[in-house]
C-alpha cells in the first residue's frame, strides 16, 4: 500500500527487487521481535546481490539495519525517515511496515501526508520508464 503498487507488480521480479539485509531469518527475541540480521549472512551475500542488480533507479531502505548499512545513518529510524527529502528521489528511508508501527504512524502524520505521496509518485515514474 505504501508504494501504491498492485500485488502483481510488487512481485514482478523483472521490475521490483526485494533484497533482505541478511538472507537468513535470525529468529525472535523474548519479546517476539525480530533479532538483528546475523552479520555473516549479510557479509556473504548482500554485496554480491546488490552488485548484480542493474538499472536501479530507486532504492527503498526499510528499517534501521538497511539504513545504517546503505546510508551510514546515525540516530533513530524516525530521524532518518524525517530527512527523506535529503535523499529523494533516488533513495527513500522507511520504517518497517508492521502493525507494531501503528503508534509511530499516529505520532508522525507527515509520513502519510508528505512522504508517501512523493514515494508513490517516484515509484510510478520509475516503473513507467
Amino acid at each position: 500500500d505504501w508504494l501504491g503498487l498492485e500485488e502483481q507488480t510488487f512481485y514482478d521480479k523483472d521490475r521490483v527487487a526485494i533484497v533482505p539485509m541478511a538472507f537468513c531469518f535470525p529468529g525472535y527475541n523474548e519479546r517476539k521481535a525480530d533479532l538483528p540480521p546475523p552479520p555473516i549472512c549479510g557479509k556473504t551475500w548482500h554485496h554480491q546481490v546488490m552488485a548484480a542488480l542493474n538499472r536501479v533507479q530507486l532504492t527503498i531502505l526499510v528499517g534501521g539495519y538497511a539504513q545504517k548499512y546503505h546510508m551510514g545513518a546515525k540516530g533513530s529510524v524516525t530521524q532518518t525517515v524525517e530527512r527523506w527529502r535529503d535523499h529523494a528521489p533516488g533513495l527513500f528511508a522507511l520504517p518497517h511496515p508492521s502493525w507494531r508501527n501503528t503508534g509511530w504512524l499516529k505520532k508522525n502524520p507527515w509520513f502519510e501526508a508528505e512522504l508517501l505521496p512523493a514515494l508513490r509518485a517516484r515509484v510510478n515514474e520509475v516503473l513507467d520508464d
Side-chain angles (χ1 to χ4, degrees):
D1 184 50
W2 286 359
L3 302 176
L5 292 177
E6 295 177 4
E7 186 174 346
Q8 180 179 358
T9 304
F10 182 80
Y11 288 106
D12 183 344
K13 64 181 174 62
D14 294 323
R15 301 178 81 194
V16 176
I18 302 169
V19 182
M21 286 304 301
F23 294 92
C24 51
F25 182 64
Y28 299 107
N29 66 17
E30 63 280 348
R31 295 184 324 203
K32 302 294 183 201
D34 292 357
L35 290 169
I40 189 64
C41 297
K43 288 177 186 172
T44 303
W45 298 108
H46 196 80
H47 178 72
Q48 292 177 47
V49 171
M50 294 305 292
L53 296 175
N54 57 15
R55 295 185 344 113
V56 175
Q57 298 177 51
L58 173 61
T59 301
I60 301 169
L61 302 174
V62 179
Y65 296 113
Q67 293 160 13
K68 286 178 178 111
Y69 180 87
H70 288 278
M71 300 171 68
K74 308 243 189 285
S76 71
V77 169
T78 300
Q79 291 167 331
T80 303
V81 175
E82 280 178 323
R83 294 189 303 271
W84 67 272
R85 287 180 182 88
D86 296 345
H87 307 285
L91 180 83
F92 281 81
L94 304 180
H96 195 278
S98 165
W99 62 268
R100 293 178 178 165
N101 283 342
T102 303
W104 186 93
L105 292 169
K106 287 180 182 176
K107 289 179 193 172
N108 298 285
W110 54 265
F111 178 77
E112 290 181 307
E114 300 169 25
L115 187 150
L116 289 184
L119 174 61
R120 289 178 183 136
R122 180 63 178 148
V123 167
N124 284 330
E125 183 181 304
V126 167
L127 291 176
D128 285 344
D129 200 12

